Amino acid sequence: MRRRSLASAVLALGALWPAASLADAGLPLLTMNAQAGGGQTYSVPLQILLIMTALSLLPAALMMMTSFARIIIVFSLLRQALGLQQTPSNQILIGLALFLTLFIMKPVFDQIDQDALQPYLAQKIEAGPALDKAAVPLRRFMLKQTRRDDLALFLHLSHQEHPRTLDDIPMTTLIPAYATSELKTAFQIGFLLFIPFMIIDLVVASVLMAMGMMMLSPLVISLPFKLMLFVMVDGWGMIMGTLAASYGQ
């Protein structure tokens, strides 16, 4: 135990020695400098650390601040309406949802790239103003898709004063309101998808009952008819076109 403790102490000192040497040399590692106009600038290692931390929140932002949630929910409900368990697989549905999300969100991403990312990479603006400019098109997109009832609900729950303009609504209130609106819209589209397939199930079940074939599962007979109907009406094209059109694309 003593040998292990001594070895751990030696390794810790060895790890801290380069940092101490750099600090003695006066090299900026994790520093923050105040600007004359009242802003703050961060050293490059600190900016990288903040960016890596923000990347851990990227999956949540992708699901809750884009069109991904509505699309993947509609695809999942469509698979259940068809009576299919694992076809298409989850990987295929997620891939379709991701690429359709990129197609729908392309104008927003292009605006973010033009107003925030490219000026930041060209060192024309700092990280803070770049984030503020990047939030503008994303906020505009979410406000366009958010129901007023959901927005009013979360404003009431947050015990905040009624904002004068839509730009005064904080993101902590807008994001849950947008996510709630997306869930409502996705379930509404899913309800409409279930109706024609449910009618086929009812017709097949009634025919089997009239023929006295009660031991035969109606799902076995209705599945080919539902697949045939879905293929004949170009179901995938209609679903993707409807989802894209619901965002104004």
Side-chain angles (χ1 to χ4, degrees):
M1 292 297 292
R2 292 180 179 178
R3 291 181 178 178
R4 292 180 180 177
S5 301
L6 182 59
S8 301
V10 172
L11 290 176
L13 289 175
L16 292 176
W17 179 259
S21 300
L22 291 175
D24 294 337
L27 295 178
L29 292 178
L30 303 179
T31 60
M32 179 178 62
N33 301 322
Q35 292 181 340
Q40 294 176 346
T41 58
Y42 303 93
S43 61
V44 175
L46 185 56
Q47 293 182 19
I48 295 175
L49 179 62
L50 294 176
I51 292 174
M52 295 302 294
T53 304
L55 287 178
S56 62
L57 302 176
L58 185 61
L62 176 64
M63 290 186 292
M64 294 292 101
M65 300 175 65
T66 64
S67 59
F68 179 81
R70 181 191 301 188
I71 296 171
I72 194 63
I73 291 174
V74 170
F75 284 168
S76 300
L77 292 176
L78 173 63
R79 185 171 62 180
Q80 294 183 9
L82 286 171
L84 303 173
Q85 299 298 325
Q86 298 295 331
T87 305
S89 63
N90 293 331
Q91 292 81 358
I92 295 177
L93 292 183
I94 292 175
L96 288 174
L98 283 174
F99 282 104
L100 189 56
T101 300
L102 291 177
F103 172 76
I104 294 173
M105 300 294 296
K106 186 179 183 300
V108 179
F109 292 155
D110 289 343
Q111 193 70 29
I112 293 174
D113 180 72
Q114 179 181 354
D115 297 342
L117 182 59
Q118 293 302 324
Y120 175 72
L121 294 178
Q123 298 182 355
K124 296 181 180 179
I125 58 176
E126 300 294 336
L131 290 176
D132 294 337
K133 290 186 177 183
V136 172
L138 195 59
R139 173 191 291 272
R140 190 183 303 117
F141 170 80
M142 289 191 293
L143 283 172
K144 186 178 179 180
Q145 305 298 328
T146 304
R147 303 169 188 263
R148 292 189 176 183
D149 296 339
D150 297 329
L151 191 58
L153 172 63
F154 283 95
L155 286 173
H156 174 72
L157 293 176
S158 62
H159 301 288
Q160 296 178 358
E161 296 182 358
H162 190 74
R164 296 180 180 179
T165 61
L166 295 177
D167 295 335
D168 297 333
I169 300 175
M171 294 292 286
T172 54
T173 302
L174 179 58
I175 292 175
Y178 169 76
T180 305
S181 298
E182 288 292 283
L183 291 176
K184 289 182 180 180
T185 305
F187 276 91
Q188 288 176 356
I189 298 175
F191 171 75
L192 297 177
L193 289 176
F194 263 92
I195 294 178
F197 302 118
M198 183 177 61
I199 293 175
I200 294 177
D201 289 334
L202 291 175
V203 171
V204 171
S206 300
V207 172
L208 291 178
M209 288 290 292
M211 296 176 62
M213 303 175 64
M214 294 177 293
M215 300 300 295
L216 182 62
S217 175
L219 296 177
V220 177
I221 306 300
S222 64
L223 180 58
F225 291 98
K226 290 190 288 187
L227 291 177
M228 181 180 64
L229 174 64
F230 189 72
V231 172
M232 289 179 61
V233 300
D234 189 18
W236 286 113
M238 292 180 60
I239 295 299
M240 293 189 178
T242 301
L243 288 172
S246 66
Y247 288 97
Q249 297 293 328

